């Protein structure tokens, strides 16, 4: 290497990744935030300041849709947090027993839904829950719970929760795996020390293992948060861009898609779409910051 | 819970719970697969029965083969996934090597800059990405998808690979330098082969989301000749909603390639997750 000021090989190594990443990810991200400040008048792009945001939050029609989508999105996230994580942790706790047989088999099988696409998952569940096919009502009847059945995806009051549960069904493999990995790193001595002090079984899980896997639960929560707040595919596949019935399953992703591309009589509007995308960006940023500065720094990590 | 290892009753309970959940996880896939081989009548009469001599039919698959261009969709998905993985691994490993190996001004900052993309989803920038692809004429081409997925995959790839590259012994690299190898030769000949397991992990992590993505194919490449398998099945099923045989067969055909990939790579995937690559 020549002793010039710049180490050219470093530049060569970094350049492709940095160029692609900057051009396709970072630049469009900021460009989208910028586009949110523009509007189109007679097919000419014009600077409009914060007008789009004023419309989004001020206009009753727009703000109604926005708050509806945001509220639905929070419910979607909430269902994930209270159903997906406990099931994931429970499965991981059972799987992590050192002498459990067929553990690899269970792990592989339970992870299967996670690798399927939303299209497969969405349609499969739509068919299974469908009142036309009748699998669900028949199965409920067999266990004497026929009264529980309703066309879940077609009822405003159940549709969103049903979709959230389908999504939980699909992704429970991820918390299970991450928690499983965290549980495996707990050294046997720690558990034995607990046993000597009479802490075994369930209380060993609550008092020793759970505090040690809190950082992993934190990571899962933020991954779920980011994933949920840019979710789109499942709702689009099962309910279409209109997120029916009556927008009851509309979340920010479908709202942005509809605004950006238009539907039925409404024309697509890239600038309003950008404004919604900016809103999503803000929400995700706030969530990530809360995690990084508020939660992660307070969780103690133990190194063994 | 740790009593399970001494107590057969608890062990039984553990297996019961796991079997129950495994059934829940596999049931929908099972129902779709068995019904795709049944006649329409049998699908409705007895959805949970296996196909037998009377009810067996391939009519759904024949419709799918005639109507949808599933081989083309499959080929598109394959091209996009393989090309993306190639670029993510090559560019990601190069950048990771630069960050892990050399001390230069702004090393930390560059690392943080590249790590931003781990948490911020690329979908937020869709409006501007579409505009860029339209103005460069890349819209409705597989390149649009390859570029977007490469950009999306790079941050995590750089993060994971640089962790692993820090563990490669300095002595080895310095021995290479004394022998007069260039930095490029050191990277390609000495370091890359040593981080192959980490590369495999990165590949498997990237593969599934790319293969399954619906958003970008829908927005950037919805043309018939560039449809991916995921988008193709979505559109096909949307059109054939009332033809249950065709819908169930299309779903089964969409499940098949992913399942094959999963069976081949599941050990790698699970090892990757459990080895703490994403911590």
């Amino acid at each position: 290497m020549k002793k010039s000021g710049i180490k050219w090989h470093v530049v060569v190594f970094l350049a492709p990744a940095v160029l692609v990443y900057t051009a396709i990810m970072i630049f469009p991200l900021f460009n989208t935030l910028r586009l949110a400040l523009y509007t189109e008048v007679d097919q000419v792009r014009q600077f409009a300041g914060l007008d789009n945001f004023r419309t989004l939050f001020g206009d009753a029609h727009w703000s109604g849709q926005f708050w509806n989508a945001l509220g639905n999105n929070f419910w979607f996230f909430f269902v994930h947090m209270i159903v997906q994580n406990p099931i994931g942790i429970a499965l991981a706790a059972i799987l992590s027993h050192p002498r459990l047989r067929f553990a690899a088999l269970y792990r592989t099988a339970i992870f299967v839904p996670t690798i399927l696409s939303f299209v497969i998952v969405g349609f499969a569940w739509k068919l299974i829950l469908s009142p036309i096919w009748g699998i669900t009502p028949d199965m409920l009847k067999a266990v004497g719970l026929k009264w529980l059945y309703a066309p879940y995806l077609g009822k405003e009051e159940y549709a969103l929760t049903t979709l959230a549960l389908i999504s939980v069904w699909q992704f429970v493999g991820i918390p299970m795996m991450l928690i499983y990995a965290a549980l495996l790193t707990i050294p046997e001595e720690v558990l034995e020390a607990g046993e000597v002090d009479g802490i075994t079984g369930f209380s060993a899980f609550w008092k020793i293992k759970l505090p040690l896997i809190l950082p992993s639960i934190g990571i899962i929560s933020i991954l779920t948060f980011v994933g949920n707040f840019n979710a789109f595919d499942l709702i689009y596949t099962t309910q279409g861009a209109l997120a029916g019935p009556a927008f009851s399953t509309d979340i920010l992703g479908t709202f942005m898609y509809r605004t950006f591309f238009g539907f039925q009589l409404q024309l697509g509007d890239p600038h309003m779409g950008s404004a919604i995308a900016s809103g999503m960006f803000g929400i995700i940023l706030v969530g990530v910051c809360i995690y990084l500065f508020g939660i992660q720094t307070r969780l103690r990590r133990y190194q063994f | 819970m740790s009593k399970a290892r001494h107590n057969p009753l608890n062990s039984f309970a553990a297996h019961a719970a796991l079997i129950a959940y495994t059934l829940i996880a596999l049931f929908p896939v099972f129902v779709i697969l068995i019904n795709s081989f049944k006649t329409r009548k049998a699908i409705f009469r007895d959805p949970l029965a296996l196909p037998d001599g009377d009810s067996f039919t391939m009519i759904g698959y024949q419709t799918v083969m005639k109507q949808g261009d599933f081989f083309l969709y499959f080929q598109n998905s394959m091209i996009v996934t393989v090309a993306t993985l190639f670029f993510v691994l090559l560019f990601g490993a190069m950048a990771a090597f630069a960050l892990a190996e050399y001390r230069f001004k702004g090393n930390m900052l560059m690392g943080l800059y590249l790590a931003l993309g781990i948490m911020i989803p690329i979908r937020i920038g869709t409006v501007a990405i579409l505009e860029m692809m339209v103005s460069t004429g890349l819209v409705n081409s597989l390149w649009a998808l390859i570029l977007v997925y490469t950009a999306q995959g790079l941050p995590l790839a750089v993060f994971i690979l640089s962790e692993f590259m820090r563990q490669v012994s300095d002595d080895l690299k310095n021995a290479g330098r004394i022998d007069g190898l260039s930095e490029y030769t050191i990277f390609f000949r000495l370091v890359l082969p040593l981080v192959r397991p980490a590369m495999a992990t990165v590949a498997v992590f990237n593969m599934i989301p790319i293969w399954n993505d619906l958003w970008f194919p829908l927005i950037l490449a919805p043309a018939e000749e560039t449809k991916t398998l995921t988008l193709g099945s979505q559109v096909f099923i949307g059109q054939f909603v009332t033809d249950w045989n065709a819908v169930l067969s299309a779903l089964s055909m969409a499940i098949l390639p992913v399942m094959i990939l999963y069976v081949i790579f599941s050990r790698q995937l699970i090892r990757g997750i459990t080895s703490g690559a994403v911590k």
Side-chain angles (χ1 to χ4, degrees), chain A residues 240-304:
Chain A
L242 282 173
F247 296 110
S248 60
T249 56
D250 201 19
I251 57 172
L252 291 170
T254 43
F255 181 40
M256 172 176 133
Y257 177 82
R258 247 192 355 260
T259 311
F260 178 23
F261 274 93
F263 65 101
Q264 294 175 354
L265 295 174
Q266 182 184 328
L267 282 175
D269 183 344
H271 302 104
M272 279 308 280
S274 301
I276 297 168
S278 308
M280 290 164 75
F281 179 67
I283 292 164
I284 291 176
L285 208 62
V286 169
V288 171
C289 286
I290 291 177
Y291 167 71
L292 284 180
F293 303 113
I295 299 174
Q296 199 201 24
T297 48
R298 272 179 219 176
L299 289 176
R300 262 199 240 171
R301 278 169 189 276
Y302 297 87
Q303 292 279 338
F304 298 112

Side-chain angles (χ1 to χ4, degrees), chain A:
Chain A
M1 282 299 117
K2 279 174 204 151
K3 297 259 176 208
S4 62
I6 305 168
K7 291 185 198 147
W8 281 107
H9 54 270
V10 179
V11 177
V12 171
F13 278 131
L14 277 173
V18 173
L19 281 180
V20 172
Y21 172 70
T22 309
I24 316 281
M25 184 151 183
I26 299 295
F27 174 70
L29 186 64
F30 284 100
N31 204 15
T32 301
L33 301 183
R34 185 183 69 90
L35 284 175
L37 303 176
Y38 285 76
T39 190
E40 205 171 277
V41 180
D42 299 330
Q43 297 187 326
V44 181
R45 186 167 279 171
Q46 276 183 358
F47 186 74
L50 294 174
D51 276 1
N52 289 334
F53 292 99
R54 254 173 239 136
T55 314
L56 188 59
F57 297 114
D59 184 289
H61 173 66
W62 282 99
S63 69
Q65 287 200 61
F66 179 80
W67 294 118
N68 173 47
L70 185 66
N72 286 343
N73 224 149
F74 269 108
W75 176 249
F76 197 70
F77 174 60
F78 179 71
V79 172
H80 276 81
M81 289 299 281
I82 59 162
V83 183
Q84 175 188 275
N85 292 355
I87 294 181
I89 294 169
L91 289 171
I94 302 174
L95 276 175
S96 69
H97 275 296
R99 286 200 208 141
L100 185 85
R101 297 176 73 192
F102 311 118
L105 199 68
Y106 290 125
R107 234 170 33 195
T108 314
I110 294 174
F111 204 71
V112 162
T114 311
I115 60 152
L116 300 177
S117 77
F118 289 99
V119 173
I120 299 169
V121 169
F123 278 115
W125 277 104
K126 204 174 167 178
L127 297 180
I128 288 168
L129 294 174
S130 151
I132 303 172
W133 198 3
I135 286 197
T136 314
D138 286 353
M139 287 178 71
L140 285 174
K141 202 162 148 190
V143 288
L145 294 171
K146 178 119 202 281
W147 53 273
L148 259 179
Y149 181 74
Y152 296 111
L153 286 172
K155 290 261 193 207
E156 273 178 55
E157 59 269 44
Y158 304 131
L160 182 65
T161 311
T162 309
L163 286 169
L165 290 174
I166 294 173
S167 174
V168 166
W169 171 81
Q170 182 176 10
F171 286 115
V172 92
I174 291 176
M176 178 187 83
M177 289 293 186
L178 291 176
I179 298 287
Y180 174 72
L183 285 172
L184 289 187
T185 63
I186 299 176
E188 195 67 5
E189 298 91 73
V190 176
L191 298 175
E192 275 167 14
E195 252 168 63
V196 172
D197 290 340
I199 304 172
T200 53
F202 229 33
S203 65
F205 177 78
W206 281 108
K207 290 184 180 154
I208 302 174
K209 292 181 185 169
L210 199 60
L212 289 173
I213 57 170
L214 276 183
S216 299
I217 296 177
I219 291 173
I220 290 161
S221 308
I222 189 65
L223 287 179
T224 310
F225 179 81
V226 174
N228 285 168
F229 276 84
N230 78 91
F232 161 82
D233 310 41
L234 180 67
I235 315 267
Y236 180 78
T237 305
T238 49
Q239 312 291 60
L242 282 173
F247 296 110
S248 60
T249 56
D250 201 19
I251 57 172
L252 291 170
T254 43
F255 181 40
M256 172 176 133
Y257 177 82
R258 247 192 355 260
T259 311
F260 178 23
F261 274 93
F263 65 101
Q264 294 175 354
L265 295 174
Q266 182 184 328
L267 282 175
D269 183 344
H271 302 104
M272 279 308 280
S274 301
I276 297 168
S278 308
M280 290 164 75
F281 179 67
I283 292 164
I284 291 176
L285 208 62
V286 169
V288 171
C289 286
I290 291 177
Y291 167 71
L292 284 180
F293 303 113
I295 299 174
Q296 199 201 24
T297 48
R298 272 179 219 176
L299 289 176
R300 262 199 240 171
R301 278 169 189 276
Y302 297 87
Q303 292 279 338
F304 298 112

